[in-house]
Protein backbone atom coordinates (compact mmCIF):
# COMPACT_ATOMS: atom_id res chain seq x y z
CA UNK A 1 0.00 0.00 0.00
CA UNK A 2 1.06 3.59 -0.61
CA UNK A 3 -0.91 5.37 2.10
CA UNK A 4 2.03 7.65 2.83
CA UNK A 5 2.68 8.37 -0.85
CA UNK A 6 3.41 11.87 -2.13
CA UNK A 7 2.36 10.74 -5.60
CA UNK A 8 4.08 9.89 -8.84
CA UNK A 9 6.96 11.91 -10.24
CA UNK A 10 6.02 13.56 -13.50
CA UNK A 11 6.29 11.69 -16.76
CA UNK A 12 6.72 8.25 -18.23
CA UNK A 13 10.38 7.24 -18.39
CA UNK A 14 12.23 4.50 -20.22
CA UNK A 15 15.45 2.52 -19.96
CA UNK A 16 18.27 2.72 -22.47
CA UNK A 17 17.87 0.50 -25.55
CA UNK A 18 18.37 -3.14 -24.64
CA UNK A 19 17.91 -2.51 -20.89
CA UNK A 20 21.58 -2.17 -19.87
CA UNK A 21 22.32 -4.65 -17.05
CA UNK A 22 25.59 -3.97 -15.21
CA UNK A 23 27.50 -4.82 -12.05
CA UNK A 24 27.21 -1.84 -9.70
CA UNK A 25 29.03 -2.17 -6.38
CA UNK A 26 27.82 -5.43 -4.85
CA UNK A 27 24.71 -5.62 -7.02
CA UNK A 28 23.61 -6.50 -10.51
CA UNK A 29 21.44 -3.60 -11.63
CA UNK A 30 19.71 -1.86 -14.52
CA UNK A 31 21.62 1.29 -15.47
CA UNK A 32 19.22 4.27 -15.54
CA UNK A 33 21.74 7.04 -16.23
CA UNK A 34 20.21 7.67 -19.68
CA UNK A 35 16.59 7.64 -18.51
CA UNK A 36 16.26 11.36 -17.84
CA UNK A 37 15.09 10.91 -14.24
CA UNK A 38 14.35 14.39 -12.83
CA UNK A 39 16.04 15.87 -9.77
CA UNK A 40 18.93 13.37 -9.70
CA UNK A 41 22.14 14.21 -7.83
CA UNK A 42 23.75 10.77 -7.66
CA UNK A 43 26.51 9.70 -10.04
CA UNK A 44 25.02 6.45 -11.38
CA UNK A 45 21.24 6.10 -10.96
CA UNK A 46 20.25 2.45 -11.18
CA UNK A 47 17.68 -0.12 -10.07
CA UNK A 48 19.05 -3.12 -8.20
CA UNK A 49 17.97 -6.50 -9.54
CA UNK A 50 19.95 -8.77 -7.17
CA UNK A 51 22.31 -7.95 -4.31
CA UNK A 52 24.60 -9.94 -2.05
CA UNK A 53 27.35 -9.00 0.39
CA UNK A 54 30.07 -10.86 -1.55
CA UNK A 55 29.15 -9.04 -4.76
CA UNK A 56 29.44 -10.29 -8.35
CA UNK A 57 32.22 -10.49 -10.93
CA UNK A 58 31.82 -8.10 -13.86
CA UNK A 59 31.98 -10.94 -16.37
CA UNK A 60 30.90 -13.73 -14.04
CA UNK A 61 28.30 -16.42 -14.70
CA UNK A 62 25.59 -14.60 -12.73
CA UNK A 63 25.47 -11.45 -14.86
CA UNK A 64 25.75 -13.52 -18.05
CA UNK A 65 22.76 -15.60 -16.96
CA UNK A 66 20.71 -12.51 -16.05
CA UNK A 67 21.52 -10.82 -19.38
CA UNK A 68 20.49 -13.98 -21.22
CA UNK A 69 17.24 -14.09 -19.23
CA UNK A 70 16.68 -10.38 -20.00
CA UNK A 71 16.95 -11.01 -23.75
CA UNK A 72 14.57 -13.96 -23.53
CA UNK A 73 12.14 -11.92 -21.42
CA UNK A 74 12.09 -9.08 -23.96
CA UNK A 75 11.52 -11.51 -26.83
CA UNK A 76 8.63 -13.34 -25.16
CA UNK A 77 6.98 -10.72 -22.93
CA UNK A 78 7.33 -7.77 -25.29
CA UNK A 79 7.63 -9.56 -28.65
CA UNK A 80 10.91 -7.76 -29.23
CA UNK A 81 12.50 -9.11 -32.42
CA UNK A 82 15.65 -7.15 -31.52
CA UNK A 83 16.06 -7.08 -27.71
CA UNK A 84 19.08 -4.78 -27.97
CA UNK A 85 16.84 -2.00 -29.29
CA UNK A 86 13.85 -2.49 -26.96
CA UNK A 87 13.20 -0.17 -24.02
CA UNK A 88 11.15 -0.77 -20.88
CA UNK A 89 8.96 2.07 -19.64
CA UNK A 90 8.47 2.97 -16.00
CA UNK A 91 7.25 5.62 -13.60
CA UNK A 92 8.58 6.61 -10.17
CA UNK A 93 6.59 7.28 -7.00
CA UNK A 94 7.89 9.17 -3.97
CA UNK A 95 6.93 8.33 -0.41
CA UNK A 96 7.40 10.13 2.90
CA UNK A 97 9.18 7.09 4.27
CA UNK A 98 11.86 7.11 1.53
CA UNK A 99 12.01 10.59 -0.04
CA UNK A 100 15.40 9.96 -1.65
CA UNK A 101 14.56 6.59 -3.25
CA UNK A 102 11.30 6.54 -5.26
CA UNK A 103 9.78 3.16 -6.02
CA UNK A 104 9.72 1.85 -9.58
CA UNK A 105 6.47 0.94 -11.34
CA UNK A 106 5.40 -0.26 -14.77
CA UNK A 107 7.25 -2.50 -17.21
CA UNK A 108 10.60 -2.10 -15.48
CA UNK A 109 9.14 -3.20 -12.14
CA UNK A 110 7.62 -6.29 -13.77
CA UNK A 111 11.03 -7.13 -15.25
CA UNK A 112 12.72 -6.68 -11.86
CA UNK A 113 10.22 -8.96 -10.15
CA UNK A 114 10.68 -11.57 -12.90
CA UNK A 115 14.47 -11.56 -12.46
CA UNK A 116 14.25 -11.69 -8.67
CA UNK A 117 11.91 -14.67 -8.84
CA UNK A 118 14.13 -16.47 -11.32
CA UNK A 119 17.35 -15.71 -9.43
CA UNK A 120 16.09 -15.54 -5.83
CA UNK A 121 18.98 -17.81 -4.76
CA UNK A 122 21.44 -15.01 -5.67
CA UNK A 123 19.93 -12.08 -3.76
CA UNK A 124 19.65 -11.00 -0.14
CA UNK A 125 17.81 -7.75 -1.00
CA UNK A 126 14.08 -7.85 -0.20
CA UNK A 127 13.39 -4.16 -0.70
CA UNK A 128 10.83 -2.91 -3.20
CA UNK A 129 12.21 -2.06 -6.67
CA UNK A 130 13.51 1.49 -6.34
CA UNK A 131 16.13 3.95 -7.56
CA UNK A 132 18.14 6.29 -5.35
CA UNK A 133 18.06 9.80 -6.81
CA UNK A 134 19.52 11.84 -3.94
CA UNK A 135 22.33 11.18 -1.52
CA UNK A 136 21.34 10.74 2.11
CA UNK A 137 23.26 12.12 5.03
CA UNK A 138 24.26 8.61 6.06
CA UNK A 139 25.60 7.74 2.60
CA UNK A 140 27.67 10.94 2.46
CA UNK A 141 29.06 10.61 5.97
CA UNK A 142 29.00 7.54 8.13
CA UNK A 143 29.72 7.73 11.84
CA UNK A 144 33.39 7.16 12.54
CA UNK A 145 34.59 7.77 8.95
CA UNK A 146 36.07 11.15 9.88
CA UNK A 147 38.57 9.34 12.10
CA UNK A 148 39.31 6.60 9.58
CA UNK A 149 42.99 6.12 8.83
CA UNK A 150 43.90 6.75 5.21
CA UNK A 151 45.08 3.71 3.30
CA UNK A 152 48.83 3.41 2.97
CA UNK A 153 50.11 3.61 -0.61
CA UNK A 154 53.62 2.59 -1.65
CA UNK A 155 54.34 4.81 -4.64
CA UNK A 156 57.49 2.91 -5.54
CA UNK A 157 55.43 -0.19 -6.33
CA UNK A 158 54.82 -1.26 -9.92
CA UNK A 159 51.48 -2.80 -10.91
CA UNK A 160 50.43 -4.99 -13.81
CA UNK A 161 46.98 -5.21 -15.39
CA UNK A 162 45.41 -7.06 -18.29
CA UNK A 163 43.24 -4.36 -19.94
CA UNK A 164 40.51 -6.78 -20.97
CA UNK A 165 37.44 -5.27 -19.29
CA UNK A 166 36.41 -1.98 -20.92
CA UNK A 167 32.81 -0.94 -20.31
CA UNK A 168 30.43 2.00 -19.87
CA UNK A 169 30.09 3.42 -16.35
CA UNK A 170 27.63 6.31 -16.00
CA UNK A 171 28.84 8.93 -18.53
CA UNK A 172 32.26 7.42 -19.12
CA UNK A 173 34.00 4.57 -20.90
CA UNK A 174 36.35 3.04 -18.34
CA UNK A 175 38.93 0.31 -17.85
CA UNK A 176 38.41 -1.95 -14.85
CA UNK A 177 41.39 -2.01 -12.44
CA UNK A 178 39.93 -4.44 -9.94
CA UNK A 179 42.29 -7.28 -10.88
CA UNK A 180 45.75 -5.69 -10.89
CA UNK A 181 48.85 -7.56 -9.72
CA UNK A 182 49.51 -6.74 -6.95
CA UNK A 183 46.01 -5.63 -5.97
CA UNK A 184 45.50 -1.87 -5.66
CA UNK A 185 45.03 -0.69 -2.05
CA UNK A 186 41.59 0.78 -2.65
CA UNK A 187 38.75 1.99 -0.44
CA UNK A 188 36.35 2.14 -3.40
CA UNK A 189 34.49 -0.93 -4.63
CA UNK A 190 35.23 -0.56 -8.34
CA UNK A 191 38.62 1.05 -9.05
CA UNK A 192 38.82 2.07 -12.70
CA UNK A 193 40.59 4.35 -15.16
CA UNK A 194 38.39 6.74 -17.14
CA UNK A 195 39.37 6.49 -20.80
CA UNK A 196 36.67 8.77 -22.24
CA UNK A 197 34.05 11.02 -20.67
CA UNK A 198 31.38 13.36 -21.98
CA UNK A 199 28.32 14.91 -20.38
CA UNK A 200 25.79 13.16 -22.61
CA UNK A 201 27.49 9.80 -22.01
CA UNK A 202 27.76 6.86 -24.40
CA UNK A 203 25.22 4.31 -25.61
CA UNK A 204 25.93 0.60 -24.99
CA UNK A 205 25.18 -0.05 -28.67
CA UNK A 206 27.00 3.07 -29.90
CA UNK A 207 30.19 3.11 -32.01
CA UNK A 208 32.46 4.59 -29.34
CA UNK A 209 32.75 1.52 -27.10
CA UNK A 210 33.68 -0.73 -30.02
CA UNK A 211 36.16 1.88 -31.28
CA UNK A 212 37.87 2.09 -27.88
CA UNK A 213 38.16 -1.69 -27.66
CA UNK A 214 39.62 -1.81 -31.17
CA UNK A 215 42.21 0.83 -30.25
CA UNK A 216 43.05 -1.19 -27.14
CA UNK A 217 43.56 -4.32 -29.23
CA UNK A 218 45.80 -2.48 -31.70
CA UNK A 219 47.85 -0.95 -28.88
CA UNK A 220 48.37 -4.31 -27.18
CA UNK A 221 49.26 -6.01 -30.48
CA UNK A 222 51.92 -3.37 -31.16
CA UNK A 223 53.54 -4.25 -27.82
CA UNK A 224 53.14 -8.00 -28.26
CA UNK A 225 51.96 -8.31 -24.66
CA UNK A 226 48.78 -9.15 -22.74
CA UNK A 227 49.62 -6.97 -19.73
CA UNK A 228 50.53 -3.34 -19.04
CA UNK A 229 52.65 -1.99 -16.20
CA UNK A 230 52.02 1.25 -14.34
CA UNK A 231 52.92 3.22 -11.25
CA UNK A 232 50.96 5.78 -9.24
CA UNK A 233 51.69 9.16 -7.70
CA UNK A 234 49.62 11.14 -5.20
CA UNK A 235 47.32 13.66 -6.83
CA UNK A 236 44.31 14.71 -4.77
CA UNK A 237 42.45 13.65 -1.65
CA UNK A 238 40.87 10.65 -3.35
CA UNK A 239 42.82 10.05 -6.57
CA UNK A 240 46.28 9.04 -7.78
CA UNK A 241 47.82 9.83 -11.16
CA UNK A 242 48.59 6.89 -13.46
CA UNK A 243 52.01 6.58 -15.13
CA UNK A 244 53.77 4.13 -17.44
CA UNK A 245 52.29 1.84 -20.09
CA UNK A 246 48.73 2.20 -18.79
CA UNK A 247 48.94 5.97 -19.15
CA UNK A 248 50.28 5.49 -22.69
CA UNK A 249 47.21 3.38 -23.54
CA UNK A 250 44.85 6.04 -22.16
CA UNK A 251 46.59 8.84 -24.11
CA UNK A 252 46.59 6.70 -27.27
CA UNK A 253 42.82 6.18 -27.02
CA UNK A 254 42.04 9.82 -26.22
CA UNK A 255 44.24 11.14 -29.05
CA UNK A 256 42.42 8.91 -31.54
CA UNK A 257 38.94 9.78 -30.20
CA UNK A 258 39.10 13.58 -30.33
CA UNK A 259 35.66 15.15 -30.32
CA UNK A 260 34.24 12.24 -28.32
CA UNK A 261 35.93 13.15 -25.02
CA UNK A 262 35.39 16.17 -22.74
CA UNK A 263 37.61 15.43 -19.72
CA UNK A 264 40.86 17.46 -19.66
CA UNK A 265 42.14 15.80 -16.50
CA UNK A 266 45.21 13.60 -16.51
CA UNK A 267 44.80 9.78 -16.43
CA UNK A 268 44.02 8.89 -12.82
CA UNK A 269 42.28 6.37 -10.58
CA UNK A 270 40.10 7.13 -7.54
CA UNK A 271 41.24 4.93 -4.63
CA UNK A 272 40.10 6.79 -1.52
CA UNK A 273 36.60 7.77 -0.45
CA UNK A 274 35.78 11.45 -0.28
CA UNK A 275 32.85 12.87 1.68
CA UNK A 276 32.90 16.29 0.05
CA UNK A 277 30.49 16.99 -2.77
CA UNK A 278 33.05 19.30 -4.36
CA UNK A 279 36.79 18.84 -4.32
CA UNK A 280 39.37 21.60 -3.89
CA UNK A 281 41.77 22.29 -6.72
CA UNK A 282 45.06 20.42 -6.55
CA UNK A 283 48.43 22.05 -7.28
CA UNK A 284 49.03 19.61 -10.15
CA UNK A 285 45.96 20.65 -12.14
CA UNK A 286 44.14 23.85 -11.18
CA UNK A 287 41.75 23.60 -14.11
CA UNK A 288 40.26 20.41 -12.78
CA UNK A 289 36.45 20.11 -13.11
CA UNK A 290 34.47 20.15 -9.89
CA UNK A 291 32.42 17.09 -10.78
CA UNK A 292 33.73 13.56 -10.34
CA UNK A 293 32.93 10.57 -12.51
Amino acid sequence: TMSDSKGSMNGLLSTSPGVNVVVCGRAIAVDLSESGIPDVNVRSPHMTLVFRESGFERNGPEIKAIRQERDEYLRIKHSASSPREHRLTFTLALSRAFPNSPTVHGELREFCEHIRTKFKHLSTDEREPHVQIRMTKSSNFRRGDSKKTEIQQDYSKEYKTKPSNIFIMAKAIVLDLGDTDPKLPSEVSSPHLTLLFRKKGYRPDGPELDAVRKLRNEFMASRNSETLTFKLSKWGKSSDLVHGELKDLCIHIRSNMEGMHEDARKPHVALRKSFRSRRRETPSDKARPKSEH
Side-chain angles (χ1 to χ4, degrees):
T1 62
M2 296 292 292
S3 58
D4 61 343
S5 174
K6 290 183 179 179
S8 296
M9 300 176 69
N10 292 332
L12 184 67
L13 304 168
S14 69
T15 65
S16 59
V19 190
N20 190 20
V21 173
V22 297
V23 172
C24 187
R26 290 177 288 179
I28 294 176
V30 174
D31 174 33
L32 297 177
S33 58
E34 297 181 12
S35 296
I37 300 172
D39 197 24
V40 172
N41 72 353
V42 298
R43 186 169 58 181
S44 304
H46 62 272
M47 182 192 70
T48 295
L49 295 171
V50 294
F51 170 89
R52 67 183 182 193
E53 289 294 333
S54 59
F56 302 92
E57 295 180 7
R58 293 193 180 280
N59 290 308
E62 298 90 353
I63 192 168
K64 290 179 180 178
I66 288 177
R67 285 171 174 167
Q68 184 177 356
E69 184 65 25
R70 169 205 58 195
D71 292 346
E72 192 68 16
Y73 178 88
L74 294 178
R75 286 192 193 97
I76 296 174
K77 181 75 174 178
H78 294 275
S79 302
S81 57
S82 180
R84 290 192 175 185
E85 297 177 3
H86 194 80
R87 300 171 184 259
L88 292 179
T89 59
F90 65 97
T91 58
L92 298 175
L94 289 166
S95 70
R96 293 186 181 90
F98 301 102
N100 299 312
S101 301
T103 52
V104 175
H105 302 270
E107 293 178 348
L108 184 57
R109 183 189 183 98
E110 292 174 1
F111 169 68
C112 179
E113 291 173 345
H114 172 80
I115 292 296
R116 289 184 178 182
T117 300
K118 183 87 174 180
F119 296 92
K120 58 184 178 182
H121 60 288
L122 294 180
S123 186
T124 59
D125 188 358
E126 298 180 353
R127 292 175 298 172
E128 232 182 320
H130 67 280
V131 53
Q132 184 176 352
I133 61 172
R134 288 182 287 273
M135 298 296 287
T136 62
K137 193 173 291 186
S138 61
S139 59
N140 276 317
F141 184 84
R142 294 189 298 273
R143 185 178 299 174
D145 279 343
S146 62
K147 299 178 181 179
K148 188 173 183 177
T149 303
E150 185 176 294
I151 58 172
Q152 296 300 309
Q153 175 66 279
D154 179 2
Y155 290 110
S156 66
K157 188 175 292 185
E158 185 175 73
Y159 299 90
K160 290 183 180 180
T161 186
K162 187 175 181 180
S164 57
N165 192 11
I166 292 176
F167 58 98
I168 293 174
M169 177 183 283
K171 299 178 181 179
I173 295 177
V174 306
L175 170 63
D176 177 36
L177 293 178
D179 59 352
T180 60
D181 180 24
K183 190 173 179 65
L184 287 172
S186 174
E187 292 177 353
V188 300
S189 59
S190 303
H192 61 273
L193 169 66
T194 295
L195 300 172
L196 300 180
F197 169 85
R198 65 184 179 193
K199 291 181 180 178
K200 68 177 183 179
Y202 305 91
R203 294 166 61 98
D205 58 347
E208 298 88 355
L209 184 59
D210 286 339
V212 168
R213 288 170 173 166
K214 183 178 179 181
L215 286 168
R216 182 268 320 274
N217 293 342
E218 293 172 353
F219 183 87
M220 298 304 292
S222 70
R223 295 185 175 243
N224 194 28
S225 174
E226 292 186 350
T227 61
L228 296 176
T229 60
F230 67 98
K231 287 187 175 182
L232 302 173
S233 65
K234 185 71 178 290
W235 191 31
K237 284 186 175 294
S238 63
S239 299
D240 287 348
L241 289 176
V242 173
H243 304 276
E245 294 175 340
L246 185 57
K247 177 181 178 180
D248 294 341
L249 170 64
C250 184
I251 297 301
H252 173 72
I253 290 172
R254 291 180 181 181
S255 64
N256 281 277
M257 301 285 286
E258 290 184 4
M260 302 181 189
H261 176 65
E262 300 171 358
D263 188 357
R265 293 178 298 171
K266 300 173 183 178
H268 66 280
V269 54
L271 297 173
R272 296 169 292 276
K273 293 180 180 178
S274 173
F275 300 102
R276 297 189 180 194
S277 58
R278 297 184 184 272
R279 296 179 56 181
R280 294 178 179 175
E281 294 178 343
T282 63
S284 57
D285 192 354
K286 293 182 179 179
R288 220 168 159 187
K290 293 179 179 178
S291 62
E292 285 292 314
H293 47 267

